C-alpha cells in the first residue's frame, strides 16, 4: 500500500492573524522611491524583445545603494539562514523571474494558486511560492533577514502565518499526495510546519557556482523583435537534446531569424539527479564545442518540484519573464516516477496538453518536441520516418550509459558529445 502524505501532514486551519492580504500584482504607477521600493519596468521600458513580462511589468526588488541596503537590514529583528530551495525562490522573486510576485504568497494567494492555478486577480500561476518555517516565535509584523552564510540576501516583511493543507496542496499541484512522489515528499519532509507571506526587499543575489543572469540582463542580450524559443532541462545535454532544440527553430510556429535560449535549472532537483555544479560544467563545454550563433545559453536558479503539467506552466511563466516567446514541451516534462513501483505519475503528453490549453492566456506558444531517434542510415530522424522507411534504430538506455560511463567504455558520439562525457567522468 502506498503511504500518503495525509498520514504525515497537518490539517489546515484558519489563521489567527487578521492582516490585510499581501498583494502579488503591482502596476508601474504604484512604484515609489525609497528603501524597499519596487522598481517596475513597463512593456515600453523593458529592452525591446518581442515578449512582454507576465502581468505586464517586470519586477526588480534589488536595492542598488549601500545606504538603502543598510537601512533595510536595520529594520530586520530576526536573521535566518536560507535553505537552498528558499534561496532559489527569493532570487526569482527579487530579480523578476516570478513577476508579477513581489513577495512570498500570503494565505489567500496561496490557496487561490493551489485551487485554481491563478493569482487572486486571475493571472495564471503554476505553483505556490511560499516561505516555510518551523519557528513558533515568528509572527506577522516581523521583518526577517535571509542570509547565505555571511551574505545578506533579502529582507522579508512577514504579513501572515498559516497552517497549510499539505495533502490538498500536493493533490492539486502534483496530482497526488503520495510521498512516493518527490515533490510531495519534499513538501512533507523538507518544508516547515507553517507558511508565511511577506514582502521581499532584495539586497544581494546569491553566490553560485554557475552564473545566473537576471531577466533584465537576459532580455538585453536577446535579438530585438525575434522569436525566442526556450529549452528547459535539468540533465546534461546529449545529442538527441541538441538535435531537438536546434530543429525547433524550423517549426512553422517559429518566425524567421528566431533563436533558442537553452535555460537549464541548476538548483535543487531529484535526489538522484546530477548536481547543478556538474551540469553547469557540461553545458559550458558543449556551448564552446558547438558554438552555434542561434543557440544562447543561460542558467536558472530554480528549485524543481517534478510537478509535471503544472510545473510546465511555471516554467513557461518564468521564461516569458526572461523574454521567451516559445517554449519546447518535451514528453513527460518535469515528470516523475513512484519511488516504490516505478510507475509514471503523468502521461507522456499531459504537460503538452495543458500548455496548449493555456497558451493564449499565457502569451507563450508551446513547441512540441520531436520524437527523434538515431538511425544507421540517416542519423537523427523522427520515429515515424524511421518506421516508415524501415531504418535501423540505435538505442542506448540511461542505465547502460551510466554503466559505460563508470566503466570507462567508449560511448558512441551519436549518443553523447565527447566534451560532455569527459566532464561527467571527471566529476562523478
Amino acid at each position: 500500500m502506498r503511504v500518503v502524505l495525509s498520514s504525515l501532514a497537518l490539517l489546515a486551519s484558519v489563521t489567527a492573524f487578521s492582516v490585510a492580504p499581501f498583494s502579488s500584482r503591482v502596476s508601474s504607477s504604484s512604484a515609489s522611491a525609497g528603501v524597499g521600493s519596487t522598481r517596475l519596468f513597463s512593456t515600453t521600458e523593458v529592452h525591446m524583445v518581442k515578449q512582454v513580462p507576465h502581468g505586464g511589468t517586470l519586477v526588480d526588488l534589488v536595492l542598488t545603494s549601500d545606504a538603502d541596503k543598510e537601512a533595510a537590514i536595520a529594520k530586520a529583528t530576526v536573521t535566518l539562514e536560507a535553505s537552498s530551495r528558499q534561496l532559489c525562490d527569493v532570487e526569482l522573486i527579487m530579480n523578476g523571474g516570478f513577476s508579477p510576485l513581489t513577495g512570498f504568497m500570503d494565505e489567500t494567494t496561496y490557496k487561490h494558486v493551489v485551487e485554481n492555478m491563478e493569482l487572486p486577480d486571475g493571472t495564471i500561476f503554476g505553483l505556490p511560492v511560499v516561505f516555510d518555517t518551523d519557528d513558533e516565535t515568528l509572527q506577522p509584523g516581523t521583518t526577517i533577514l535571509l542570509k547565505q552564510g555571511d551574505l545578506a540576501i533579502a529582507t522579508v516583511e512577514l504579513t501572515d502565518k498559516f497552517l497549510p493543507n499539505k495533502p490538498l496542496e500536493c493533490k492539486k499541484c502534483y496530482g497526488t499526495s503520495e510521498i512516493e512522489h518527490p515533490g510531495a515528499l519534499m513538501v512533507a519532509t523538507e518544508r516547515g510546519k507553517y507558511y508565511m507571506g511577506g514582502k521581499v526587499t532584495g539586497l544581494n543575489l546569491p553566490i553560485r557556482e554557475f552564473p545566473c543572469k537576471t531577466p533584465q540582463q537576459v532580455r538585453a542580450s536577446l535579438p530585438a523583435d525575434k522569436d525566442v524559443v526556450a529549452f528547459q532541462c535539468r540533465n546534461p545535454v546529449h545529442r538527441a537534446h541538441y538535435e531537438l532544440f536546434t530543429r525547433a527553430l524550423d517549426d512553422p510556429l517559429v518566425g524567421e531569424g528566431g533563436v533558442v535560449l537553452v535555460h537549464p535549472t541548476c538548483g535543487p532537483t531529484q535526489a538522484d539527479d546530477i548536481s547543478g555544479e556538474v551540469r553547469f560544467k557540461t553545458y559550458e563545454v558543449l556551448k564552446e564545442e558547438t558554438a552555434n550563433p542561434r543557440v544562447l545559453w543561460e542558467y536558472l536558479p530554480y528549485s524543481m518540484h517534478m510537478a509535471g503539467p503544472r510545473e510546465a506552466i511555471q516554467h513557461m511563466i518564468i521564461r516569458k519573464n526572461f523574454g521567451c516567446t516559445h517554449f519546447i514541451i518535451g514528453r513527460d516534462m518535469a515528470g516523475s516516477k513512484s519511488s516504490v513501483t516505478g510507475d509514471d505519475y503523468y502521461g507522456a503528453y499531459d504537460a503538452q496538453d495543458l500548455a496548449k490549453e493555456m497558451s493564449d492566456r499565457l502569451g507563450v506558444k508551446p513547441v512540441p518536441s520531436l520524437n527523434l531517434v538515431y538511425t544507421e542510415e540517416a542519423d537523427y530522424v523522427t520515429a515515424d520516418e524511421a518506421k516508415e522507411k524501415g531504418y535501423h534504430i540505435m538505442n542506448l538506455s540511461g542505465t547502460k550509459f551510466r554503466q559505460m560511463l563508470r566503466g570507462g567504455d567508449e560511448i558512441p558520439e551519436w549518443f553523447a558529445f565527447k566534451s560532455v562525457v569527459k566532464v561527467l567522468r571527471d566529476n562523478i
Side-chain angles (χ1 to χ4, degrees), residues 141-194:
T142 304
T143 296
I144 62 173
L145 173 63
L146 293 180
K147 298 188 76 174
Q148 180 192 32
D150 293 330
L151 182 64
I153 299 299
T155 63
V156 185
E157 300 170 37
L158 299 174
T159 58
D160 68 343
K161 184 175 188 177
F162 57 98
L163 286 167
N165 185 335
K166 290 186 176 183
L168 178 66
E169 175 187 342
C170 293
K171 188 70 174 177
K172 291 287 188 177
C173 295
Y174 306 139
T176 180
S177 58
E178 297 166 348
I179 60 171
E180 299 164 29
H181 185 290
L185 181 65
M186 178 272 292
V187 170
T189 63
E190 292 182 33
R191 279 194 182 159
K193 176 180 179 180
Y194 301 103

Side-chain angles (χ1 to χ4, degrees), residues 230-232 241 244 308 312 327-335 347-353 355 366-371:
F231 179 72
Q232 145 69 22
H241 302 116
L244 186 155
F327 188 81
I328 298 172
I329 303 285
R331 287 169 54 90
D332 193 24
M333 181 179 177
Y349 301 102
D350 287 356
Q352 290 186 13
D353 291 343
V367 179
S369 63
L370 296 172
N371 184 15

Side-chain angles (χ1 to χ4, degrees), residues 362-373:
L362 272 174
V364 180
K365 295 179 181 178
V367 179
S369 63
L370 296 172
N371 184 15
L372 297 175
V373 294

Side-chain angles (χ1 to χ4, degrees), residues 345-358:
Y345 275 108
Y346 313 110
Y349 301 102
D350 287 356
Q352 290 186 13
D353 291 343
L354 184 60
K356 290 176 184 176
E357 178 186 337
M358 295 291 181

Side-chain angles (χ1 to χ4, degrees), residues 48-108:
M48 291 307 296
V49 297
K50 197 170 184 178
Q51 182 60 279
V52 301
H54 195 51
T57 55
L58 188 62
V59 173
D60 180 0
L61 304 176
V62 184
L63 300 177
T64 56
S65 78
D66 290 340
D68 283 350
K69 291 180 182 181
E70 290 171 6
I73 291 172
K75 291 183 176 181
T77 57
V78 176
T79 299
L80 299 174
E81 179 74 13
S83 69
S84 57
R85 288 186 181 272
Q86 288 171 342
L87 279 175
C88 289
D89 286 345
V90 78
E91 183 169 357
L92 290 174
I93 293 171
M94 289 161 54
N95 70 18
F98 278 148
S99 293
L101 298 188
T102 57
F104 289 102
M105 294 178 179
D106 65 8
E107 185 174 18
T108 298

Side-chain angles (χ1 to χ4, degrees), residues 227 229 245-246 248-250 254-262 291-297:
D227 286 340
V229 183
F245 64 68
T246 52
L249 294 173
D250 298 325
V254 181
E256 185 177 351
V259 298
V260 170
L261 175 64
V262 183
N292 188 333
R294 296 187 70 190
V295 178
L296 311 176
W297 298 76

Side-chain angles (χ1 to χ4, degrees), residues 62 110 137 222 245 255 257 269 295 322 378 402:
V62 184
Y110 160 79
T137 65
L222 299 177
F245 64 68
T269 179
V295 178
F322 277 86
R402 288 188 290 272

